[in-house]
Amino acid sequence: MNWPVTTPDTDARVAELDANLRALLARIDAACAATGRDPATVRLLPVTKYFPASDIELLHRLGLREFGESKAQEAGAKAEVLSDLRDIRWHLIGRVQRNKARQVVRWADTVHSVDSERLATALDRAVTVALEAEERDAPLRVLIQAGLDSDPERGGAPPAQLPALAEHIARSSALRLVGLMAIPPLGANPDEAFARLAELHARLRADHPDATELSAGMSGDLDSAIAHGSTCVRVGTALMGTRPITSG
């Protein structure tokens, strides 16, 4: 996969991103107000996959510090290009192959898509090696991805497997369980999907009180996700605009 490394008209792009960001933050504020929530309890995670590293640098100028990527190779390349921006925290929100664990833990602060004990074990081992090599200085924050449908391509652990997976992660030495993530099934009613996710999160927190994060909601359904307790909305299009044309 190839992606652009620069944005042509910097001034125009800054203005576009700034306007989109202001509108998006206003939308989050309104969604919080509608359900009596403090806007400070909902974080915006820009999803910057396929967009150039220069866009991330511009968003950094606008005050953003956390960025979500779906592809390990693309994210790693951007992290290297932007290594001078030491306060950036990278989130991997896409599926992770176990053989990419060693690569991912060199730059990732948080992985949102842990859906099996085998993947958790691979990440735990990779983080342990990275800590010993001083390639990172903290455990890897992980969220369990809950599967809300039976489509294996969308990832996610079946709800019945969540307690055992959570216990497995909690016992690991180099991972920190911080919450739950999910993507609604295609064509599903967002309110129904997020209500179910909220129930799963409540059960998780009953056994793991520190797993407070709920990563849910994207450009089209973040209002519903916030109404059902999301603490992190993963937004691409509403902030970044139309995805650039890519070639693979």
Side-chain angles (χ1 to χ4, degrees), residues 13-74:
R13 184 56 168 159
V14 169
E16 178 185 13
L17 291 173
D18 184 49
N20 290 349
L21 177 59
R22 291 174 185 273
L24 184 54
L25 293 177
R27 181 180 168 193
I28 292 172
D29 286 350
C32 288
T35 54
R37 292 188 60 187
D38 181 350
T41 64
V42 181
R43 296 195 337 277
L44 167 64
L45 181 64
V47 177
T48 49
K49 63 181 181 180
Y50 304 136
F51 286 88
S54 57
D55 272 355
I56 298 172
E57 185 174 19
L58 298 179
L59 289 170
H60 185 272
R61 294 185 202 173
L62 293 173
L64 300 181
R65 296 294 182 267
E66 297 183 85
F67 300 95
E69 290 281 338
S70 294
K71 305 292 185 181
Q73 183 178 358
E74 178 181 351

Side-chain angles (χ1 to χ4, degrees), residues 38-187:
D38 181 350
T41 64
V42 181
R43 296 195 337 277
L44 167 64
L45 181 64
V47 177
T48 49
K49 63 181 181 180
Y50 304 136
F51 286 88
S54 57
D55 272 355
I56 298 172
E57 185 174 19
L58 298 179
L59 289 170
H60 185 272
R61 294 185 202 173
L62 293 173
L64 300 181
R65 296 294 182 267
E66 297 183 85
F67 300 95
E69 290 281 338
S70 294
K71 305 292 185 181
Q73 183 178 358
E74 178 181 351
K78 290 177 180 176
E80 184 175 355
V81 169
L82 299 173
S83 60
D84 287 345
L85 302 179
R86 298 184 180 278
D87 56 351
I88 283 182
R89 295 186 297 279
W90 297 99
H91 294 240
L92 184 62
I93 62 175
R95 301 190 70 184
V96 188
Q97 296 176 338
R98 293 192 306 278
N99 62 3
K100 299 290 186 182
R102 185 76 178 91
Q103 172 188 341
V104 167
V105 303
R106 289 192 177 103
W107 50 264
D109 172 82
T110 305
V111 172
H112 290 233
S113 50
V114 176
D115 59 3
S116 72
E117 292 187 11
R118 294 177 69 189
L119 175 57
T121 297
L123 289 169
D124 183 48
R125 290 172 178 167
V127 174
T128 298
V129 171
L131 288 168
E132 292 174 350
E134 298 184 347
E135 294 174 342
R136 63 182 297 129
D137 59 8
L140 179 70
R141 301 171 74 255
V142 300
L143 291 87
I144 295 174
Q145 181 177 352
L148 299 180
D149 60 20
S150 57
D151 184 352
E153 294 301 316
R154 294 170 68 79
Q161 296 178 12
L162 296 180
L165 178 54
E167 288 298 328
H168 181 83
I169 294 170
R171 290 193 302 268
S172 68
S173 60
L175 305 180
R176 179 184 166 208
L177 177 62
V178 298
L180 199 63
M181 183 273 267
I183 303 169
L186 292 173

